[in-house]
Amino acid sequence: MILEVAILNIKDGKTKAFEQDFQKASPFIQNNPGYISHDLKRCMENDHQYILLVKWENLEDHEEGFRKSENYGPWKKLLHHYYDPFPVVEHYEAV
């Protein structure tokens, strides 16, 4: 299992809309091979910042599977315009 981690900084005044669209976008990530779970958390110190944690069976399920799937287009359309700057996505494995 790997953990995808992304810090999401949302444009000013867009957090409520982002949260609503994230709910709409969630099925697009959930319906992919290798997907295990995901969690979105809002930062308590910076209310426009979130952390997205996604568990995948392996790195390829995210990088090759989801990002090249037909589900990625709707996910991207719903969410990517909220980010400023665009997030860095990193992957972690157990040690």
Side-chain angles (χ1 to χ4, degrees):
M1 190 273 307
I2 62 110
L3 180 64
E4 169 194 352
V5 177
I7 303 295
L8 310 175
N9 289 291
I10 306 304
K11 294 175 183 174
D12 287 340
K14 301 290 185 182
T15 58
K16 293 294 182 200
F18 167 73
E19 289 177 12
Q20 292 170 350
D21 282 345
F22 188 87
Q23 291 302 316
K24 294 176 191 172
S26 288
F28 293 110
I29 197 170
Q30 292 169 330
N31 294 321
N32 284 281
Y35 166 87
I36 298 171
S37 67
H38 73 279
D39 201 11
L40 180 70
K41 303 284 189 191
R42 183 178 40 243
C43 181
M44 295 174 69
E45 289 79 18
N46 298 310
D47 65 357
H48 69 281
Q49 184 173 302
Y50 296 76
I51 188 169
L52 174 62
L53 306 168
V54 185
K55 292 181 182 176
W56 297 96
E57 289 182 19
N58 58 59
L59 181 62
E60 293 74 24
D61 289 330
H62 176 229
E63 294 285 303
E64 300 295 320
F66 176 55
R67 286 190 175 169
K68 293 184 179 179
S69 74
E70 62 186 36
N71 287 325
Y72 188 68
W75 169 272
K76 180 179 176 178
K77 184 176 181 179
L78 281 166
L79 301 177
H80 284 198
H81 64 280
Y82 288 108
Y83 308 141
D84 185 26
F86 197 79
V88 172
V89 177
E90 297 178 314
H91 301 90
Y92 294 81
E93 61 186 349
V95 294

